[in-house]
Amino acid sequence: TLALRASRRRPRAVRPVPRAAEPEAEAGELAPDLDPSTGAPWGWTLVGCDSDAGGALVVVRGPAPGVVRRVSVLDCPTVKVEVNGKRRTRLCVEAMVALVASTRIPKGTVAHVEEGGVEFGFSAQTAFVQGYNFGLWKGVLAAAGLTVEVVKPQAWKHALGLARSGSSKDDSRHFAAAMFPEVGEVTLRRKKDHGRAEALLIAAYGHMAMHARGARADAAQGLNTAASGSSDEEDPLCRRVRDMVIRAAEEASEGDGEGGEGDAHITASGMRRRLGPDDPLPYFGPYFGMTGKALGKECKSRGLKVSGKKMELIERLEEDDAGAVRRARDAAAAVVMEVEGREEEERGARRAAAA
């Protein structure tokens, strides 16, 4: 028989090595949740998270929704561990808890967290780590009192035009740097900073999706101002994101050399011909951020055709919305005409009685 002896070697201590994108606040500075210009709490907070070990947590703050005044980019805290005899980088949950607490994000704030996707060719270990990282961030943020909103990687990349064939992680860095100039060039200058860039873009996508959900909720409650002729106003960040994505799509569609310089307005059909059938078109309507499954469910509830691609479902829903607005306007006009007719009859009756 073999005698099993306990190893005398002391276990190797594993020291968390959190990476930080910006230095800690110096003594005398206001807490991160306070506006330096007023000393009062910020009026708006936006959170985005790339849940990979090479990702980051982003906290955007401002006095009002969409008004960006401060952007904090914090690298995911990591630790070196031994897995199957090899040193691997993993998230450090203790440091994650401390990091989130230090940001002093108001409870109830929505945190947009990317759900790590599993691609063809991923090993079982890689797939496990993707889900493990996402689960850790979801638990830490929920325990801090935040509302976690799950974001699919293909959803935000498609919506922001980064799912186009040929797009790279460098494109994400350049796009995020242009969208959030508040972070400065140093934060995104290295190739490995693509995790920071994606966290910024996830936050931007989440903000646009929340804005679209608000518009849908208003329409469902009859609060949509379209019937009265005015449109839903975008906040500054929504306008910034929309303008950048549309401009990038136009530049990509013109890259093939089709269409002269005199084309002042590029239609969706013309852009589609130039980009190709599989490239995303910019869309920022009320159904922005909805999955194909959710769009199909909405179509089914209205008795509309549920087959087809996402943009085909969106077109059906928007046509149905436009029809509902027309019917509401017609009904309102009929009521006004009826009221005016009764008032005219009453005035005529009074004149006749007076005569």
Side-chain angles (χ1 to χ4, degrees), residues 65-78:
V67 181
V68 180
R69 289 289 183 270
R70 178 172 180 172
V71 182
S72 300
V73 183
L74 308 166
D75 288 333
C76 293
T78 58

Side-chain angles (χ1 to χ4, degrees), residues 110-171:
V110 177
H112 306 279
V113 182
E114 183 185 46
E115 182 181 45
V118 179
E119 301 177 5
F120 178 77
F122 276 13
S123 65
Q125 179 179 324
T126 301
F128 168 79
V129 172
Q130 291 271 23
Y132 178 77
N133 291 343
F134 167 71
L136 281 183
W137 269 117
K138 187 175 181 180
V140 168
L141 293 171
L146 308 187
T147 302
V148 177
E149 187 74 26
V150 179
V151 177
K152 299 286 187 180
Q154 60 270 28
W156 72 261
K157 290 179 181 179
H158 191 283
L160 299 184
L162 293 170
R164 187 172 297 110
S165 56
S167 293
S168 65
K169 293 186 180 297
D170 285 342
D171 294 332

Side-chain angles (χ1 to χ4, degrees), residues 44 64-67 207-208 211 233-241:
W44 167 71
V67 181
H207 180 69
M208 294 291 292
H211 181 81
E233 186 176 351
E234 291 181 318
D235 61 48
L237 182 56
C238 285
R239 286 195 297 272
R240 186 189 299 187
V241 174

Side-chain angles (χ1 to χ4, degrees), residues 23 30 73 111 145 172 183 202 225 232 262 326 330:
L30 287 177
V73 183
S172 297
V183 301
I202 290 165
T225 56
D232 190 28
R326 286 194 298 270
D330 293 343

Side-chain angles (χ1 to χ4, degrees), residues 232-265:
D232 190 28
E233 186 176 351
E234 291 181 318
D235 61 48
L237 182 56
C238 285
R239 286 195 297 272
R240 186 189 299 187
V241 174
R242 176 177 54 79
D243 292 346
M244 285 194 59
V245 173
I246 291 176
R247 189 183 311 118
E250 290 176 350
E251 291 174 354
S253 68
E254 291 174 340
D256 295 334
E258 298 182 16
E261 296 181 357
D263 293 337
H265 302 285

Side-chain angles (χ1 to χ4, degrees), residues 128-346:
F128 168 79
V129 172
Q130 291 271 23
Y132 178 77
N133 291 343
F134 167 71
L136 281 183
W137 269 117
K138 187 175 181 180
V140 168
L141 293 171
L146 308 187
T147 302
V148 177
E149 187 74 26
V150 179
V151 177
K152 299 286 187 180
Q154 60 270 28
W156 72 261
K157 290 179 181 179
H158 191 283
L160 299 184
L162 293 170
R164 187 172 297 110
S165 56
S167 293
S168 65
K169 293 186 180 297
D170 285 342
D171 294 332
S172 297
R173 286 194 302 114
H174 299 322
F175 201 61
M179 187 174 295
F180 290 97
E182 294 84 1
V183 301
E185 297 179 359
V186 176
T187 305
L188 302 173
R189 74 180 187 278
R190 303 169 302 176
K191 282 185 173 293
K192 68 178 184 178
D193 292 332
H194 65 83
R196 299 175 178 178
E198 294 192 352
L200 287 163
L201 297 175
I202 290 165
Y205 167 83
H207 180 69
M208 294 291 292
M210 288 184 65
H211 181 81
R213 281 197 295 271
R216 291 198 301 272
D218 289 348
Q221 297 176 10
L223 300 178
N224 194 342
T225 56
S228 62
S230 59
S231 59
D232 190 28
E233 186 176 351
E234 291 181 318
D235 61 48
L237 182 56
C238 285
R239 286 195 297 272
R240 186 189 299 187
V241 174
R242 176 177 54 79
D243 292 346
M244 285 194 59
V245 173
I246 291 176
R247 189 183 311 118
E250 290 176 350
E251 291 174 354
S253 68
E254 291 174 340
D256 295 334
E258 298 182 16
E261 296 181 357
D263 293 337
H265 302 285
I266 301 178
T267 63
S269 59
M271 198 180 295
R272 165 59 65 217
R273 287 194 299 271
R274 287 185 281 272
L275 289 175
D278 298 323
D279 283 328
L281 287 177
Y283 171 78
F284 298 101
Y287 300 100
F288 178 92
M290 290 185 69
T291 63
K293 184 177 181 180
L295 291 168
K297 185 177 180 181
E298 182 67 21
C299 286
K300 185 176 181 179
S301 68
R302 302 189 191 187
L304 304 175
K305 185 179 177 182
V306 298
S307 61
K309 296 184 177 181
K310 285 182 64 173
M311 286 308 303
E312 293 173 342
L313 300 179
I314 288 173
E315 288 175 0
R316 290 176 200 146
L317 290 169
E318 291 196 336
E319 288 176 0
D320 186 66
D321 290 342
V325 170
R326 286 194 298 270
R327 290 189 294 272
R329 286 175 175 170
D330 293 343
V335 170
V336 171
M337 290 181 63
E338 183 179 354
V339 171
E340 290 177 347
R342 285 200 301 266
E343 291 176 349
E344 183 61 29
E345 290 178 359
E346 292 174 357

